[in-house]
Amino acid sequence: MLIECKNDTEKVAMGLLSYLPDFKNLANLKDEIQLNKNSAEFCLYLYRSKDPNFIGVIGTQANKQFVVIRYISFAPDFRKAKYEAKAVQELAQSNPQKRITAVPEYIDLIKYLKKD
């Protein structure tokens, strides 16, 4: 289940983001959190599966036509394709009027949206 990051889940998001190399630096991490707080265009979503704990985070940038996946990060025990697929599919379901795409580093995630 994807849930938009709010003030009460900010520390969880920071922990999950810290697995990404760009956010190992605390200043970068804080800047990213502020960007997502202060701009309607940028959004952080926390992901949980059946477990009550959040296991991943997706950072997006949206406009009227697109939602761009900027990054995705999961806790080490949950770095499996099935979790990525479910999170990306839920993102698409929650934005049915928009096309889901990704920055080049994460473009492989789009394969989870392909219909057979």
Side-chain angles (χ1 to χ4, degrees), residues 8-115:
D8 61 334
T9 55
E10 187 176 293
K11 289 191 188 296
V12 174
M14 289 176 73
L16 291 164
L17 284 173
S18 71
Y19 291 118
L20 297 172
D22 289 345
F23 301 121
K24 296 245 183 247
N25 177 308
L26 187 58
N28 290 350
L29 183 57
K30 286 181 177 180
D31 288 346
E32 184 65 19
I33 294 295
Q34 285 305 312
L35 174 68
N36 286 279
K37 274 184 170 181
N38 299 332
S39 173
E41 185 178 344
F42 295 91
C43 188
L44 280 177
Y45 294 96
L46 291 165
Y47 179 76
R48 75 171 67 153
S49 187
K50 295 174 186 168
D51 192 293
N53 297 321
F54 291 108
I55 60 171
V57 64
I58 298 179
T60 65
Q61 181 176 3
N63 62 31
K64 290 182 181 183
Q65 297 174 324
F66 296 95
V67 174
V68 179
I69 298 170
R70 298 175 56 232
Y71 48 77
I72 189 168
S73 178
F74 282 89
D77 291 346
F78 299 94
R79 292 182 184 157
K80 297 179 177 110
K82 71 178 186 178
Y83 295 113
E84 288 182 348
K86 287 179 183 178
V88 171
Q89 290 164 357
E90 284 188 30
L91 181 66
Q93 289 169 356
S94 66
N95 294 279
Q97 71 286 3
K98 297 181 181 182
R99 182 170 179 211
I100 307 298
T101 189
V103 296
E105 296 87 353
Y106 295 100
I107 201 68
D108 286 349
L109 295 172
I110 302 308
K111 69 184 174 197
Y112 300 127
L113 301 175
K114 303 283 187 228
K115 307 252 191 273

